[in-house]
């Protein structure tokens, strides 16, 4: 099959290649991909930013967001059948969305939202899970709280804005001026054009900040929190809890030192800091699918590229100007296979 593999770490380390179709384990489903979403995490993994933590053996297939059709199931799989339309964020060390096929653990898979196209579904898994884990699990947002979301027009931010409103929060976000109406339509209550005003001068008394920019932006985000408030960053620095998440508790002291500066700043202000590295969760994707099918959430796409242009799509992502998710699409729709019609009928599909 054709795939885009990281041959060596670095900006020029990703290339097109012919590789074997993945082996299907007893708990796996083999998915013929129809579309794959791109994320900043793809660039970070390609460049080796996590190579000491996530020990991929080169060459490996890149890509974290999958939408496609099941073509084979492992011996222990009971919940999925050949022909099922699914979406997934495969777990770390088993990624591989930039390929014609991917073998994915059944625990990381969910039936895709019935109301969405494959392209729309491929845009969702990583950002939807990250949004849920940040707001509902880490921050435990409740109605009436105030949440600041940076880069609300971006791939992650546009999802977090919608979910924060669904959870009942008052939502502020930072954007370029031309994106004001877009984020207002997503539910933002207060919008700061970062070219015209400094959010740290405008906002105060917030319960939660979700930071996707890092550096000075994270440091200034601490100043808008009320006492006891929480700043969550998806770009780091990692904290000690991350060592437990990736199964390397011996790295706790390392991450403690890496996050010491921001944690000290937070402590001086009487607020808290947490690093979020989202994890695969098929069960949560099932629940999120109902929110998309119910119209509570909607996908936000910037543009799509043909699968053959995956390198160009990643280069476009790196420009940092996308307003929503970037998706690559396969040239031929996946075969539906035996069993698809009966499953669609049980779901109420046409």
């Amino acid at each position: 099959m054709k795939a885009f593999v990281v041959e060596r770490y670095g900006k020029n380390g990703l290339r097109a290649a012919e590789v074997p179709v993945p082996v299907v384990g007893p708990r796996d489903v083999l998915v013929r991909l129809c579309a794959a979403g791109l994320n900043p995490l793809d660039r970070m993994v390609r460049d080796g930013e996590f190579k000491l933590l996530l020990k991929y053996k080169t060459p490996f297939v890149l890509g974290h967001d999958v939408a496609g059709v099941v073509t084979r199931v492992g011996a222990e799989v009971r919940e999925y059948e050949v022909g099922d339309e699914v979406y997934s964020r495969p777990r770390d060390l088993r990624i591989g969305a930039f390929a014609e096929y991917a073998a994915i653990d059944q625990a990381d898979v969910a039936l895709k939202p019935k109301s969405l196209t494959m392209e729309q579904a491929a845009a969702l898994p990583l950002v939807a899970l990250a949004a849920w884990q940040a707001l509902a699990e880490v921050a435990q947002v409740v109605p009436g709280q105030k949440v600041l979301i940076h880069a609300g027009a971006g791939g992650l931010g546009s999802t977090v804005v919608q979910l924060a409103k669904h959870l009942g929060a008052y939502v502020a976000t930072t954007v370029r001026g031309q994106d004001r109406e877009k984020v207002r339509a997503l539910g933002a209550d207060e919008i700061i054009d970062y070219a015209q005003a400094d959010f740290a001068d405008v906002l105060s008394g917030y319960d939660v900040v979700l930071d996707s920019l890092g550096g000075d932006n994270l440091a200034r985000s601490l100043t808008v929190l009320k006492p006891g408030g929480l700043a969550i960053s998806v770009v780091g620095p990692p904290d000690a809890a991350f060592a437990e998440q990736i199964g390397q508790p011996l790295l706790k002291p390392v991450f403690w030192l890496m996050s010491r500066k921001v944690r000290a700043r937070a402590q001086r202000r009487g607020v808290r800091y947490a690093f979020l590295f989202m994890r695969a969760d098929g069960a949560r994707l099932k629940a999120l699918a109902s929110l998309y099918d119910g119209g509570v959430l909607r996908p936000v796409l910037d543009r799509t590229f043909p699968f053959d242009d995956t390198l160009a799509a990643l280069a476009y992502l790196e420009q940092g100007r996308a307003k929503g998710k970037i998706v690559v699409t396969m040239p031929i729709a996946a075969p539906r296979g035996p069993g698809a019609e009966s499953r669609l009928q049980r779901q109420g599909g046409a």
Side-chain angles (χ1 to χ4, degrees):
M1 67 174 186
K2 183 173 182 178
F4 286 86
V5 301
V6 176
E7 191 173 48
R8 64 185 184 279
Y9 286 118
K11 184 177 180 64
N12 298 315
L14 186 69
R15 66 176 181 87
E18 290 291 329
V19 300
V21 174
V23 174
V24 180
R27 291 178 47 83
D28 294 344
V29 296
L30 184 68
V31 178
R32 169 64 162 92
L33 271 73
C34 296
L38 276 69
N39 299 279
L41 182 59
D42 297 315
R43 177 199 60 77
M44 297 168 77
V45 170
R46 180 204 64 187
D47 292 351
E49 294 186 23
F50 294 103
K51 64 183 179 181
L52 298 179
L53 307 176
L54 302 175
K55 298 186 180 299
Y56 290 102
K57 182 179 179 181
T58 57
F60 63 90
V61 181
L62 191 62
H64 293 78
D65 274 333
V66 170
V69 178
V70 174
T71 62
R72 191 181 309 167
V73 298
E76 297 177 14
V77 175
R78 298 292 180 267
E79 190 171 350
Y80 300 100
E81 300 175 357
V82 171
D84 282 345
E85 297 183 344
V86 298
Y87 73 142
S88 174
R89 192 291 205 187
R91 63 190 58 186
D92 296 318
L93 301 181
R94 292 202 61 185
I95 62 172
F98 301 159
E100 292 179 295
Y101 290 89
I104 309 170
D105 191 294
Q106 63 177 343
D108 302 340
V109 174
L111 296 175
K112 83 169 185 64
K114 296 187 290 293
S115 61
L116 302 184
T117 66
M118 285 291 185
E119 291 83 358
Q120 291 172 324
L124 303 180
L126 188 148
V127 294
L129 287 173
W132 180 268
Q133 290 165 17
L135 297 181
E137 297 180 11
V138 178
Q140 298 182 0
V141 170
V142 297
Q145 287 189 316
K146 297 171 68 176
V147 177
L148 168 61
I149 299 156
H150 287 292
L156 175 61
S158 59
T159 301
V160 183
V161 167
Q162 295 178 73
L163 184 59
K165 288 304 296 181
H166 171 63
L167 295 174
Y170 176 90
V171 177
T173 190
T174 57
V175 296
R176 291 189 182 97
Q178 64 266 32
D179 295 322
R180 293 181 66 91
E181 293 310 311
K182 174 183 175 178
V183 294
R184 193 177 303 280
L186 295 175
D189 298 292
E190 190 164 355
I191 303 164
I192 297 92
D193 179 351
Y194 58 73
Q196 301 294 325
D198 186 337
F199 72 90
D201 294 333
V202 177
L203 305 177
S204 64
Y206 274 69
D207 297 278
V208 179
V209 176
L210 183 65
D211 168 63
S212 56
L213 302 174
D216 182 61
N217 191 80
L218 173 60
R220 290 185 297 115
S221 292
L222 300 176
T223 68
V224 310
L225 291 168
K226 72 180 187 181
L230 174 65
I232 303 171
S233 177
V234 296
V235 293
D239 56 14
F242 180 51
E244 292 286 356
Q245 180 180 334
I246 62 174
Q248 299 193 46
L250 293 179
L251 291 176
K252 275 186 173 182
V254 176
F255 294 154
W256 186 90
L257 287 172
M258 291 176 66
S259 61
R260 179 177 59 180
K261 187 175 181 179
V262 66
R263 288 186 295 104
R265 284 179 172 173
Q267 186 175 24
R268 287 196 295 269
R269 303 194 68 89
V271 300
R272 297 168 293 145
Y273 168 74
F275 172 66
L276 177 75
F277 192 86
M278 63 77 54
R279 67 185 187 282
D281 187 345
R284 178 51 54 187
L285 283 178
K286 295 174 188 176
L288 288 165
S290 66
L291 295 181
Y292 282 98
D293 281 336
V296 175
L297 303 178
R298 61 181 177 88
V300 180
L301 273 66
D302 179 274
R303 62 178 294 188
T304 62
F305 288 77
F307 177 60
D308 286 346
D309 292 341
T310 295
L311 295 179
L314 193 56
Y316 178 68
L317 172 78
E318 291 180 89
Q319 294 175 11
R321 297 199 296 266
K323 303 297 190 299
K325 289 297 295 292
I326 304 163
V327 173
V328 295
T329 60
M330 303 303 170
I332 301 174
R336 297 187 63 82
E341 183 177 352
S342 61
R343 171 59 68 96
L344 286 172
Q345 288 173 345
R346 287 197 297 274
Q347 292 176 339

